[in-house]
């Protein structure tokens, strides 16, 4: 039988908390708001080639997206401009000027890089505008930016 000192227990608990917070901070939270399965798969494919853990959520509608963003703000929001019932410029503004999501990296997917809309999205503080169909290489570049911002 061995007695354990309180200091030893406190040190052990602090070490365990530090390990847990390091592993939690290494995970990048991603919300993909798109109805395009090929875009979602391209983003997931690009995630596999970056040395970081990702937690990806893809809400089915605007309400589910709002619930996810309310629970925990992600590190990265991917917004598909093809969502016909939503204005991507207004959505960018609402994401970037809301206290919970203002620091999230915001990527907007455009079916064709229309210069006027792309310019409006950048004025609405979108961090990146990517053309569809998605190429995994620019996606990996975005993931690396988000990873370095999180550190």
């Amino acid at each position: 039988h061995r007695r354990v000192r309180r200091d030893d227990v406190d040190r052990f608990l602090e070490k365990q908390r530090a390990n847990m917070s390091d592993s939690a901070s290494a995970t990048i939270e991603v919300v993909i708001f798109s109805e395009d399965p090929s875009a979602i798969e391209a983003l997931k494919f690009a995630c596999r080639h970056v040395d970081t853990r990702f937690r990806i959520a893809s809400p089915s509608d605007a309400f589910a997206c709002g619930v996810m963003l309310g629970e925990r703000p992600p590190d990265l929001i991917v917004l598909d401009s093809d969502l016909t019932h939503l204005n991507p410029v207004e959505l960018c503004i609402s994401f970037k000027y809301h206290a919970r999501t203002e620091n999230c990296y915001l990527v907007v997917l455009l079916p064709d890089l229309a210069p006027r809309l792309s310019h409006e999205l950048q004025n609405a503080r979108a961090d990146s505008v990517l053309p569809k169909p998605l190429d995994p290489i620019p996606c990996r570049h975005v993931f690396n930016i988000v990873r370095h911002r999180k550190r």
Side-chain angles (χ1 to χ4, degrees), residues 56-108:
I56 298 176
S58 185
S60 57
D61 58 15
F63 182 76
C65 184
V67 169
M68 282 182 190
L69 296 175
E71 288 174 355
R72 178 187 305 162
D75 302 302
L76 172 64
I77 299 172
V78 180
L79 171 65
D80 192 345
S81 68
D82 276 352
L83 298 170
T84 55
H85 56 285
L86 299 172
N87 181 338
V89 175
E90 290 177 10
L91 212 47
C92 280
I93 291 170
S94 66
F95 283 143
K96 283 306 204 172
Y97 289 95
H98 191 278
R100 289 189 61 83
T101 55
E102 67 184 349
N103 294 323
C104 297
Y105 195 90
L106 180 61
V107 175
V108 180

Side-chain angles (χ1 to χ4, degrees), residues 14 24 26 37 41 43 45-46 70 76 81 88 99 102 112 119 123 133 138 151:
E14 283 300 316
E41 284 307 311
L43 289 162
F45 178 78
L76 172 64
S81 68
E102 67 184 349
D112 55 354
H119 184 69
N123 285 340
R151 287 183 184 174

